[in-house]
Each structure stands twice: as C-alpha cells, then as structure tokens.
Amino acid sequence: MLPSVKERKKNANKFHLCYEEVCKVQNVMPLPAVMAHRKKSVLCLSGDRLAYREWGPILHALSQDRSLQFIGVRSKAVEPRAGTVERVPSLQTRRVLLPLMKAIQTCMNHTEALTSVELEALPLGSDLLCNFIQGIKSCRPLQNVSLHRSPIRDEGCRLICRAIKGLTNIKCVDLSGCGITARGAMAVAEMLKYQKIQRYSETWKQTLRGCDPDVDSLPGLRRVTLNHNTDIGDDGAVHLVNAVRDDIFVKALDLQNCGVGNTGGKAALEMLQLNVSLAVMDLRANKNINSELLTQIMRRLYMNNHGASQKEKGICPHQGCAVAGVCEAGQAQGVC
C-alpha cells in the first residue's frame, strides 16, 4: 500500500525513509547499497554500477535530507584499456553529476547533522565544484571534507582553500591524488597561514582577558592530507613546511608520494625542531628522500610526541579524519 501524504511529509527529511517512500511510489526496489548503513545515518555509495534511472530516487531523497551524518559517493574511475570500448559509468557523466552536486548542496544548506562529505574520483568541473563550495560555506556542522582522487587540479584546489580558510568548523581536508602541483600547495599554505593568524589573534584576546589560552579548544583545521600529488615536489613542500613552522594548531600534514626530495625533507626536519606540536608529518613513499634523512624525521617526530599515541595527541590514525572522537569516515568503514 502506498504511504499517505501525511506519512510522506513526516519521512521527507530522513534520507533512508524518504528514499524508500519514493521507491514505493515509483514501484521499484530500494537498492541494498543505498540502504546498507541505514542505522548509522550514513550514505556510503559506490556509484559506478548504478544506471541513470536508479539515481532519481537517491537524488530526490538527498536533496530533502536533514538526517545524514556522513555522505560518501565514490567512483573507481578506471582508465579504459587501449583498443577497447567500455561503458562510461553514469556517475562520470554530467547528466548525473550536475543534479548530484545540486542535491548535495541543498542538503548541506539545510542540515544540522552532516559532519563528513567524501567525493572520490568524481570529475568535478569548476561549475560543479562551485556548487559544492557553496554547500561547504553554509554547512556549519561540517568537519571533514575529502575530494580524494577527484581531478580538481590547482584551480580547484585554490577555490576550495579560499572557501575553507575562513571557516572554523572544518577540521580535516583531504585532497589526495587531485592533480595538485606546487602552485596548488601554495594555495594550501596560504590557507594554513590565514587560519594561523586568526587563531593566534584569538589566543591573544583570551590572554588580555586574563585567561590561559586553550590551544586545543580553538576551532579550525587540524589535519591536511595531500598524498599522491606527485607534482608538489620540493617547492610545494617547502611552502607547506614554512606555513606550519610556528603553527601550534595544525596537528597533521600528510605528504606521501608527493615527489618530495632531500630539499623538502631537510626543510621538514628543521621545522620539526622548532614545532613540537605537529604530531604527524608523513613523508613516506617519497623515493627521492634519503632513507637516513627520513629516519631522522621519524625520530624527531617520536621525540616531539614523547612516545604518545596518536589518539592521545588527538589525531585519528585513519587518514582523512580530523580529531579522534569525530571520525565518521572511519566509523563508517569500520576502521575507527
């Protein structure tokens, strides 16, 4: 039996209930992949196998939603083999991406529950990215943003950083594998510098009031992940290292496989001798860094942490998360 109008209105703002109701109206079966994390208020969707017609109920429910705490939409985005003709997943087409980004933006504009958004390997042009950025600006509970493997490149990185630098609710940004070069790394560095100045200003105000500043309670970025952007290189790494040299607020900087060599490694080691607040400086998988230098960096990090665990330092071991205790991304995947 079809639900009444009263029941549909009651369920409209709850994603999974709304999705079920729309499926009933359209006489189609709800997809198990969509309903998998219903009890956790999580949408964690690998969209490559979804046909175009299957996106309709999902997009409608998403645009109405006010209940989801985590939204994850992922694509494998595998390059077709030479000499073969393979079907392009509907998720990789503008026909789905445009309404998807508008639905996510609408959800972010009105929700009070959403804390994490992960969009993996989605070809987001500047207009689609602008929709997403407008949603980020209006979503006050949002803490974690990931565009892992989405080829936004330097211009997209600049747009994201320009939006996030003025937001104090965002704790973690993951731009791994996004095609970012040293130019994009400069935009990230400017974002970190801006937030650093704002937070030092706030600690100064607290001091004037006769209070002892609580550094860990100040809002703002705690972790920046830029892994697998192989064109960042030494130049980009030096910009980032200089940005956090005297930053006592950022706790983790991930630069795995970013084309960093000994110049960037030495700059990181010098920075860690001054900045004892940084709990994670991940330079693994950079083949051009001398192994002895990498060992010195790891030893310095150990000394700075005094042997404390990552959770004791307030950093979740799951990359892409912000502060321990708010790791919806890791909880959704059963790793935190």
Side-chain angles (χ1 to χ4, degrees):
M1 186 175 70
L2 291 177
S4 66
V5 174
K6 184 177 180 180
E7 288 176 330
R8 290 203 297 271
K9 286 183 178 180
K10 181 180 178 181
N11 298 334
N13 293 337
K14 298 178 181 178
F15 174 82
H16 293 96
L17 293 176
C18 181
Y19 175 69
E20 282 186 314
E21 301 295 358
V22 175
C23 287
K24 286 181 182 178
V25 171
Q26 296 185 5
N27 197 28
V28 296
M29 287 292 294
L31 298 174
V34 178
M35 303 299 293
H37 302 288
R38 175 177 184 167
K39 294 182 180 180
K40 298 179 181 179
S41 296
V42 165
L43 175 62
C44 192
L45 188 63
S46 181
D48 284 343
R49 294 186 178 182
L50 271 63
Y52 173 72
R53 65 180 181 278
E54 294 175 316
W55 281 101
I58 297 172
L59 297 177
H60 176 82
L62 191 56
S63 64
Q64 298 295 316
D65 177 68
R66 308 293 182 268
S67 66
L68 289 175
Q69 297 177 22
F70 175 91
I71 296 175
V73 181
R74 300 181 175 88
S75 173
K76 291 184 178 179
V78 178
E79 291 293 330
R81 291 171 293 181
T84 63
V85 178
E86 298 185 12
R87 181 181 67 87
V88 177
S90 60
L91 181 56
Q92 291 285 319
T93 66
R94 187 175 177 82
R95 190 182 182 191
V96 168
L97 281 173
L98 182 58
L100 173 62
M101 299 311 295
K102 287 184 176 180
I104 292 175
Q105 179 188 355
T106 302
C107 173
M108 295 169 79
N109 285 343
H110 299 98
T111 184
E112 294 295 332
L114 186 64
T115 59
S116 297
V117 177
E118 292 186 7
L119 305 179
E120 181 174 344
L122 302 187
L124 302 177
S126 57
D127 57 335
L128 300 178
L129 198 58
C130 285
N131 287 333
F132 183 55
I133 288 172
Q134 290 303 316
I136 290 175
K137 289 180 177 180
S138 63
C139 189
R140 303 311 303 173
L142 188 65
Q143 297 176 2
N144 306 311
V145 176
S146 174
L147 292 172
H148 181 62
R149 295 198 307 121
S150 296
I152 62 171
R153 308 194 186 282
D154 290 336
E155 180 59 25
C157 178
R158 185 184 66 81
L159 293 173
I160 288 287
C161 292
R162 188 170 66 180
I164 289 178
K165 74 176 185 180
L167 303 177
T168 58
N169 53 296
I170 305 295
K171 295 182 178 180
C172 176
V173 177
D174 185 351
L175 300 178
S176 298
C178 290
I180 296 170
T181 70
R183 182 182 166 210
M186 288 178 63
V188 176
E190 290 301 318
M191 172 182 67
L192 293 173
K193 289 178 182 177
Y194 181 88
Q195 287 215 350
K196 176 178 63 178
I197 293 171
Q198 299 304 310
R199 287 190 275 197
Y200 270 125
S201 176
E202 182 59 31
T203 59
W204 179 68
K205 291 178 183 178
Q206 292 181 13
T207 303
L208 290 179
R209 299 189 195 107
C211 304
D212 291 329
D214 186 357
V215 173
D216 293 331
S217 70
L218 290 176
L221 284 168
R222 289 290 187 263
R223 184 170 205 149
V224 176
T225 302
L226 298 171
N227 297 334
H228 307 298
N229 288 297
T230 55
D231 291 327
I232 285 181
D234 282 328
D235 290 344
V238 169
H239 284 297
L240 292 166
V241 165
N242 288 337
V244 299
R245 183 177 297 275
D246 57 348
D247 193 324
I248 60 176
F249 310 100
V250 174
K251 301 300 181 183
L253 182 60
D254 300 297
L255 292 172
Q256 287 188 41
N257 188 29
C258 286
V260 182
N262 289 333
T263 301
K266 289 177 181 177
L269 182 59
E270 292 174 2
M271 176 271 293
L272 290 170
Q273 291 171 348
L274 298 173
N275 186 342
V276 297
S277 298
L278 195 67
V280 176
M281 180 73 201
D282 195 347
L283 288 169
R284 291 175 296 172
N286 286 289
K287 298 178 181 179
N288 294 327
I289 295 183
N290 183 280
S291 59
E292 183 179 347
L293 177 58
L294 191 58
T295 300
Q296 291 177 341
I297 292 171
M298 294 175 69
R299 186 180 295 119
R300 172 52 62 177
L301 277 169
Y302 180 80
M303 292 171 62
N304 288 355
N305 282 297
H306 301 293
S309 68
Q310 286 180 318
K311 286 191 176 181
E312 286 173 336
K313 279 286 184 178
I315 293 295
C316 173
H318 171 243
Q319 284 188 1
C321 300
V323 178
V326 292
C327 179
E328 289 83 3
Q331 290 169 358
Q333 299 174 30
V335 297
C336 297

